[in-house]
Amino acid sequence: MKIVFNIHYHTGAGQKVGIVGSIDELGAWQTILAKEMSDHGNGQWILDVEIPFFVKMIEYRYVLKSPDGTVISEPCRKKRKVRFSPEQERCYLFDYWMIQPADAAFYTSAFTQAIFAHAPQNCPVDDDAKEIVVRVCNPYVEKTQHVAITGNQDVLGRWQPENACTMICTHFPEWEIRLGVDEITFPFEYKFIVRDEKKNICHWETGENRILPLLPRHEKATFVVSDYPYRDDRAPWKGAGVVIPVFSLRSERSFGIGDLHDLKLLIDWAVQTHQCLIQILPVNDTTRTHTWADSYPYSAISIYALHPVYISLQEMGALKDEKKAAYYRHVQQRLNGNNTVDYEEVEKCKMQYCRDFFEQEGDRILQSAAFKSFLRANQPWLIPYAAFCYFREKYHTADFTCWDEDARYRPFHIQSLCHEGSTIYSEISFTYFLQFVLHTQFKTASDYARKKGIILKGDLPIGIHRTSVDAWIEPSYFNRDGQAGAPPDDFSDTGQNWSFPTYNWDVMEKNDFIWWKKRFCKLSDYFNCLRIDHILGFFRIWEVPIDFVQGLCGHFRPALPLTVNEIESFGLKWDERFLKPRIHRRFLNELFSAEARKRLDAFLIDEDDEHLILKPLCDTQKKMERIFETHADALSEEIKRGLFAIANEVLFLKDPYEQARYHPRISGNKSFVYTELSPEAQTAFDRLSNNFFYERHNAFWKAEALKRLVPLVDSTDMLICGEDLGMIPAPVHDVMAQLQILSLELARTPKISGEHFACLHRLPYLSVCTTSTHDMSPLRLWWEENPEKRQQYYRSVLQRNDAAPTSCSAEIATQIMGNHLAASSILTIIPLQDWLAVSDELKHPCPEDERINIPANPHHYWRYRMHLTLERLIEADDFNRKIRAMLADCGR
């Protein structure tokens, strides 16, 4: 069969248009093998290709070839697709050069599979006819609506909307119609419209009439006209949702912690209140110690495995042993009575139940077709994960460097260890079973959300734990000598140290970022929308040296560290002492009390008459931490804090990758060593720091981010959002806007310098607006924390002139919620705690107990749990009616 490609595009000097596609005749996606088209003048490019008779479908893209050999693809990331029938002799394709649509968000699965989901339909094909296939993309079509075509033809109703031809949704958001060539005359003018189920017109596209060109004459040919997208001038769509960790959910069927059954109840509540999105925190397995320390959801031991604590025991199945069943009912009642999550007890008891159920039903489940299918599809990650879990228990630690001969991952050994005939297969298969149950339950909840028109939004942590499955089996991807964290910010004056290994991006790039693409792919099993935690990490990560506990003495990676000549070009005379922690005696009383200063001889020695330095036994924060862990009873926390501060007393840090290159210490102007500089040297250091942190890296970091994010965004159809709070480099907004990644916006943390509170009506449309995040105080607690800030917000934002009340009433919370719902953002997502604040009847009695995380505390216990059940929430008619009204008033 012959395919004739046609596209209208005016190229630059020396450029040629080509095609690359999924078959050998189109280069098999190798852009260097793209087929050049013939230039027929006036921007018309044509290519004839003979394809084998057995090819039923091809995918393709147009590319631009420059004289220097560079090849540029169409800006739109969507691949074109065309199907054929065996009887076709010739197919003419009329295309346009596709740019990335301004409304690309609506082409993501968040809308195509949830909000506006349309079931695919088969368009009837007449193999003997000469047909014209007209296609158009329109994602903004509600479930009860359809696209129709009308025009100056009898078959199209002669511009009468009620007589227009209904188009078929073949693959939403693509609509098409097949017309017999003999049914039309030229010139052929037409437009697209949107109608409801009763064929009432909902919208008529804007702009001039579309005109179909005169077609070539050929017997039994099919003409496929892929037209420009639907031209829409309707008000921008806006939606609202709720965010809460799964572990925080509570229902009458819970087992001391939220589970995947509870997620379905939350979906029911979202539907009832006319919300369209549910956002949750990461749900990957974090089990390392079987203690509350594992409650941190951003420290996963596997990028694939789900956490067993989220299994719904009742959905999994009942125990036949009535004595055991009665015992677990008693345990359930006790754990459900807790105000917060008792992580250790919950994990222990739920795993006991799972083992008892596995003993009862395991053989049957392992032999089921569903389990075998799951095992085949997930073996590449499931086998090493199961082995990791086994070794963690065998060696009593998740630190694989302590696993003797098993410290190094040996694929063939692991395969034999996890084989069905292995002596430890009972343990291995139990892990398989847990993940099978979790996947089945989570997929059921996910499908339920899609069916109900609810977007399920997941969370992609920027890091993984340094003693994780991934670090064990693919060590080349990770730098274990570095620790990921964040520079000083509103959360912590000394920065944050998350302890995750940093990434070897150069190695990942050589493998086409396949590790990341697999993460995205796995998450798309459950989610239609994704929050990238700390998206700044794709531009640069804050890397803390392995000897530090705090994050203050970190540096950006990748970076462009300074030479001595560059440092001195700012007017600062180089001194090697800038690199060594030291403290002037006169500052000791600012760090230590008189009693504590008596004990400093054990830790400090004289450098000269005026300065002290740390002794070798405690010259790093990690050494100090070990000393204070060993002698916790004898040494005070005050001494530890003071010594940590001295370890941070440097102005520059050596770059660990390039010799004789240096990073200025962030917030160096707040150090004691800075105060010892002359006024001229201080001014020079300030100029240097400002240039280094806010100017020097902008183009470099933008290029790095595009290199990493473009292939990842291209690899998924999920709606991508980025958490872009903190110290934001200038290019972040440009890159996120270019890739149409939704930003995160909060009134209390404005991104425009000089603003006290963000103007919610000026937020970018492609953004998520919220009142607080899990790392912040919820609304009512924030209201109580800072009286000065509260009064300022009360007057300038809420436009009230009296004194602000000390607590946030339901009436005030309602106004604040209304302001956020009226924001210009496409999505407003409210934490459940803040939703409840609009009801005096339902809100938590104690605002302090609603906080989820305190970022300044790396050992925080994540245990917040909603204080009322989801069943009660669903039955709260007045409250739910109020939310529906608030959303309606704001057009969400």
Side-chain angles (χ1 to χ4, degrees):
M1 182 179 69
K2 177 171 282 190
I3 307 177
V4 183
F5 295 91
N6 296 262
I7 189 169
H8 191 265
Y9 185 78
H10 290 283
T11 60
Q15 290 181 323
K16 293 185 177 182
V17 178
I19 302 176
V20 63
S22 56
I23 58 175
D24 291 340
E25 289 76 8
L26 295 178
W29 291 121
Q30 301 296 312
T31 53
I32 196 171
L33 301 177
K35 300 298 181 182
E36 284 188 9
M37 304 183 75
S38 300
D39 184 359
H40 285 239
N42 197 31
Q44 192 67 33
W45 296 85
I46 299 176
L47 174 67
D48 292 7
V49 176
E50 288 282 352
I51 67 169
F53 70 92
F54 53 81
V55 174
K56 302 295 186 294
M57 186 271 290
I58 62 170
E59 293 181 320
Y60 64 100
R61 274 180 176 166
Y62 291 96
V63 297
L64 271 183
K65 289 187 168 185
S66 298
D68 62 1
T70 58
V71 180
I72 303 172
S73 295
E74 292 175 282
C76 184
R77 297 188 289 270
K78 175 188 170 188
K79 293 176 182 177
R80 302 170 185 272
K81 185 181 296 185
V82 63
R83 291 180 171 84
F84 312 103
S85 63
E87 290 76 12
Q88 285 180 275
E89 295 178 358
R90 186 175 297 223
C91 182
Y92 291 86
L93 303 177
F94 295 88
D95 295 318
Y96 66 96
W97 184 263
M98 290 200 303
I99 62 172
Q100 188 70 355
D103 59 350
F106 293 95
Y107 290 78
T108 65
S109 63
F111 291 90
T112 62
Q113 295 181 15
I115 300 296
F116 299 138
H118 288 260
Q121 301 168 284
N122 291 321
C123 196
V125 178
D126 186 349
D127 293 330
D128 294 324
K130 186 177 180 181
E131 289 186 314
I132 298 175
V133 181
V134 180
R135 292 176 173 173
V136 68
C137 279
N138 185 2
Y140 195 171
V141 183
E142 295 183 14
K143 293 181 178 181
T144 57
Q145 298 173 342
H146 63 266
V147 177
I149 181 173
T150 187
N152 66 348
Q153 308 287 314
D154 289 338
V155 70
L156 300 184
R158 289 289 174 184
W159 298 112
Q160 299 302 310
E162 64 274 11
N163 296 325
C165 285
T166 299
M167 302 184 75
I168 301 298
C169 180
T170 52
H171 184 72
F172 190 64
E174 195 169 84
W175 303 80
E176 74 172 48
I177 189 169
R178 291 177 177 265
L179 303 171
V181 173
D182 296 336
E183 295 179 286
I184 65 171
T185 58
F186 291 92
F188 181 176
E189 298 187 21
Y190 60 102
K191 270 190 171 181
F192 301 108
I193 61 176
V194 176
R195 301 189 303 191
D196 63 18
E197 293 171 307
K198 297 181 179 179
K199 296 191 177 181
N200 295 316
I201 188 165
C202 303
H203 185 258
W204 196 305
E205 74 166 338
T206 60
E208 299 294 325
N209 294 344
R210 300 172 186 254
I211 300 176
L212 187 71
L214 189 63
L215 303 175
R217 293 183 177 275
H218 192 278
E219 294 299 322
K220 295 188 68 173
T222 299
F223 302 88
V224 181
V225 180
S226 296
D227 220 331
Y228 288 91
Y230 186 90
R231 301 184 297 246
D232 210 325
D233 64 350
R234 286 172 289 181
W237 179 94
K238 295 196 291 186
V242 62
V243 54
I244 185 172
V246 174
F247 63 75
S248 299
L249 298 175
R250 179 193 292 268
S251 77
E252 294 169 3
R253 292 175 54 176
S254 299
F255 205 93
I257 193 171
D259 59 37
L260 294 169
H261 166 76
D262 296 340
L263 187 56
K264 289 195 286 187
L265 292 179
L266 187 64
I267 292 166
D268 290 337
W269 177 71
V271 171
Q272 186 173 341
T273 52
H274 295 179
Q275 297 181 78
C276 67
L277 182 145
I278 290 172
Q279 177 181 333
I280 61 175
L281 270 56
V283 288
N284 293 96
D285 191 2
T286 58
T287 308
R288 293 179 296 106
T289 64
H290 299 292
T291 68
W292 65 263
D294 299 341
S295 67
Y296 180 28
Y298 289 87
S299 186
I301 64 165
S302 169
I303 61 173
Y304 302 107
L306 300 173
H307 204 309
V309 295
Y310 296 124
I311 289 176
S312 168
L313 299 183
Q314 289 198 23
E315 283 197 1
M316 182 174 67
L319 295 176
K320 296 176 182 177
D321 186 322
E322 183 51 40
K323 186 176 180 180
K324 287 183 177 180
Y327 164 75
Y328 285 116
R329 283 194 295 271
H330 172 73
V331 172
Q332 179 186 28
Q333 185 177 13
R334 172 170 56 84
L335 293 175
N336 271 351
N338 293 336
N339 293 328
T340 57
V341 176
D342 184 343
Y343 183 90
E344 294 176 18
E345 190 69 9
V346 163
E347 193 224 13
K348 182 184 74 173
C349 294
K350 289 192 82 166
M351 287 306 95
Q352 284 177 348
Y353 187 103
C354 288
R355 285 192 178 275
D356 286 341
F357 186 80
F358 183 66
E359 184 178 339
Q360 173 184 298
E361 304 288 345
D363 290 343
R364 177 184 61 81
I365 292 173
L366 296 182
Q367 295 304 314
S368 68
F371 172 81
K372 290 179 179 179
S373 175
F374 168 79
L375 185 59
R376 281 194 303 272
N378 295 278
Q379 275 186 353
W381 67 265
L382 187 56
I383 288 176
Y385 166 73
F388 181 94
C389 293
Y390 170 75
F391 289 140
R392 177 190 62 208
E393 307 309 312
K394 174 183 176 181
Y395 293 104
H396 307 291
T397 178
D399 185 352
F400 52 82
T401 63
C402 302
W403 287 355
D404 300 335
E405 71 271 18
D406 296 309
R408 182 174 61 85
Y409 178 66
R410 295 172 291 165
F412 294 113
H413 172 65
I414 297 302
Q415 286 283 345
S416 63
L417 199 67
C418 297
H419 190 264
E420 192 168 349
S422 166
T423 56
I424 64 166
Y425 190 68
S426 60
E427 279 300 309
I428 297 296
S429 60
F430 177 64
T431 301
Y432 292 166
F433 158 78
L434 291 176
Q435 290 303 310
F436 169 67
V437 172
L438 283 159
H439 171 75
T440 303
Q441 292 188 359
F442 201 1
K443 195 71 172 69
T444 300
S446 175
D447 291 344
Y448 185 70
R450 291 186 178 101
K451 180 181 177 182
K452 295 286 188 176
I454 299 295
I455 301 169
L456 204 56
K457 181 181 178 184
D459 198 333
L460 177 80
I462 189 60
I464 52 105
H465 199 274
R466 62 180 49 250
T467 59
S468 64
V469 182
D470 304 278
W472 179 47
I473 68 175
E474 298 184 285
S476 63
Y477 286 158
F478 307 101
N479 171 32
R480 288 175 55 82
D481 293 328
Q483 306 173 94
D489 54 20
D490 292 341
F491 298 127
S492 173
D493 292 337
T494 56
Q496 298 177 51
N497 181 358
W498 305 324
S499 299
F500 307 143
T502 54
Y503 295 119
N504 292 326
W505 282 105
D506 53 341
V507 178
M508 290 181 159
E509 184 181 1
K510 288 176 184 175
N511 290 334
D512 196 28
F513 302 106
I514 191 66
W515 185 81
W516 284 99
K517 290 178 180 178
K518 287 178 179 178
R519 288 186 79 178
F520 276 59
C521 182
K522 183 61 177 174
L523 287 165
S524 69
D525 284 349
Y526 313 114
F527 302 108
N528 291 124
C529 182
L530 187 64
R531 170 191 181 268
I532 298 179
D533 171 50
H534 195 67
I535 197 171
L536 305 182
F538 286 87
F539 293 76
R540 80 294 185 273
I541 198 70
W542 186 249
E543 185 174 271
V544 182
I546 198 68
D547 287 333
F548 279 85
V549 175
Q550 297 175 330
L552 190 59
C553 281
H555 57 84
F556 288 121
R557 183 187 181 202
L560 304 171
L562 299 161
T563 64
V564 169
N565 287 340
E566 286 178 306
I567 293 170
E568 293 188 336
S569 72
F570 285 90
L572 181 65
K573 180 66 176 175
W574 177 250
D575 190 331
E576 287 290 329
R577 289 178 297 179
F578 291 158
L579 301 169
K580 189 172 183 179
R582 60 207 289 263
I583 187 78
H584 196 286
R585 290 180 182 276
R586 71 174 183 266
F587 298 126
L588 290 178
N589 61 349
E590 295 188 38
L591 295 175
F592 306 98
S593 65
E595 186 63 30
R597 289 199 297 275
K598 296 176 183 178
R599 310 195 65 179
L600 292 183
D601 287 346
F603 306 101
L604 301 174
I605 57 173
D606 293 337
E607 182 191 44
D608 54 41
D609 291 341
E610 297 180 321
H611 295 93
L612 298 164
I613 60 173
L614 295 162
K615 287 185 175 182
L617 76 126
C618 61
D619 58 0
T620 71
Q621 290 183 347
K622 282 287 177 71
K623 288 181 180 179
M624 297 175 198
E625 189 173 52
R626 286 191 288 270
I627 291 172
F628 280 82
E629 284 175 354
T630 306
H631 305 284
D633 295 336
L635 299 172
S636 69
E637 189 67 25
E638 177 200 351
I639 295 176
K640 178 181 174 181
R641 283 197 306 269
L643 293 177
F644 271 20
I646 293 174
N648 290 327
E649 279 296 310
V650 295
L651 277 183
F652 288 88
L653 301 146
K654 285 184 179 180
D655 183 78
Y657 307 104
E658 296 184 74
Q659 286 190 343
R661 289 185 177 268
Y662 307 94
H663 301 256
R665 202 209 82 180
I666 200 165
S667 304
N669 60 351
K670 296 180 180 178
S671 66
F672 293 122
V673 67
Y674 174 86
T675 63
E676 295 188 67
L677 297 176
S678 68
E680 296 77 16
Q682 288 181 355
T683 300
F685 183 81
D686 291 343
R687 280 201 316 271
L688 179 152
S689 294
N690 185 72
N691 174 271
F692 187 86
F693 290 115
Y694 299 103
E695 299 172 12
R696 179 179 177 90
H697 295 92
N698 286 347
F700 175 61
W701 283 338
K702 181 175 183 177
E704 290 294 305
L706 288 172
K707 185 168 58 176
R708 299 165 184 176
L709 284 171
V710 168
L712 300 185
V713 172
D714 284 353
S715 72
T716 184
D717 62 355
M718 290 184 289
L719 176 63
I720 303 300
C721 310
E723 182 269 293
D724 57 335
L725 305 178
M727 186 177 176
I728 308 171
V732 169
H733 300 305
D734 291 341
V735 170
M736 292 180 70
Q738 179 179 333
L739 301 182
Q740 298 196 37
I741 297 173
L742 274 59
S743 62
L744 181 61
E745 310 290 340
L746 291 93
R748 66 168 99 165
T749 56
K751 294 177 180 176
I752 298 177
S753 178
E755 285 190 347
H756 295 292
F757 304 101
C759 178
L760 300 179
H761 293 290
R762 293 205 308 263
L763 300 181
Y765 176 62
L766 293 179
S767 68
V768 173
C769 175
T770 189
T771 50
S772 59
T773 74
H774 61 268
D775 282 333
M776 299 176 177
S777 303
L779 177 63
R780 291 192 300 140
L781 181 58
W782 171 77
W783 186 269
E784 297 177 1
E785 286 175 336
N786 188 326
E788 182 180 348
K789 199 84 168 176
R790 174 178 68 226
Q791 186 63 44
Q792 190 177 35
Y793 184 86
Y794 190 70
R795 290 192 176 181
S796 63
V797 178
L798 300 185
Q799 298 292 299
R800 303 188 182 202
N801 295 321
D802 55 326
T806 56
S807 62
C808 182
S809 66
E811 184 258 337
I812 291 174
T814 300
Q815 184 180 356
I816 295 173
M817 292 300 112
N819 290 347
H820 285 75
L821 290 171
S824 49
S825 305
I826 186 173
L827 290 169
T828 294
I829 304 175
I830 304 295
L832 183 65
Q833 306 97 300
D834 293 352
W835 269 131
L836 294 173
V838 306
S839 169
D840 284 327
E841 178 188 356
L842 297 181
K843 66 185 182 185
H844 198 293
C846 181
E848 292 86 355
D849 291 343
E850 291 186 309
R851 179 138 199 182
I852 295 174
N853 180 38
I854 302 175
N857 177 11
H859 305 296
H860 181 73
Y861 190 172
W862 296 61
R863 63 188 314 192
Y864 162 71
R865 199 168 180 217
M866 56 188 293
H867 63 290
L868 71 168
T869 65
L870 286 159
E871 290 88 352
R872 184 184 171 196
L873 191 63
I874 291 170
E875 294 169 357
D877 294 337
D878 291 343
F879 173 66
N880 296 333
R881 192 180 302 113
K882 182 175 183 177
I883 292 180
R884 288 196 298 271
M886 292 173 69
L887 266 57
D889 289 345
C890 297
R892 292 190 183 270

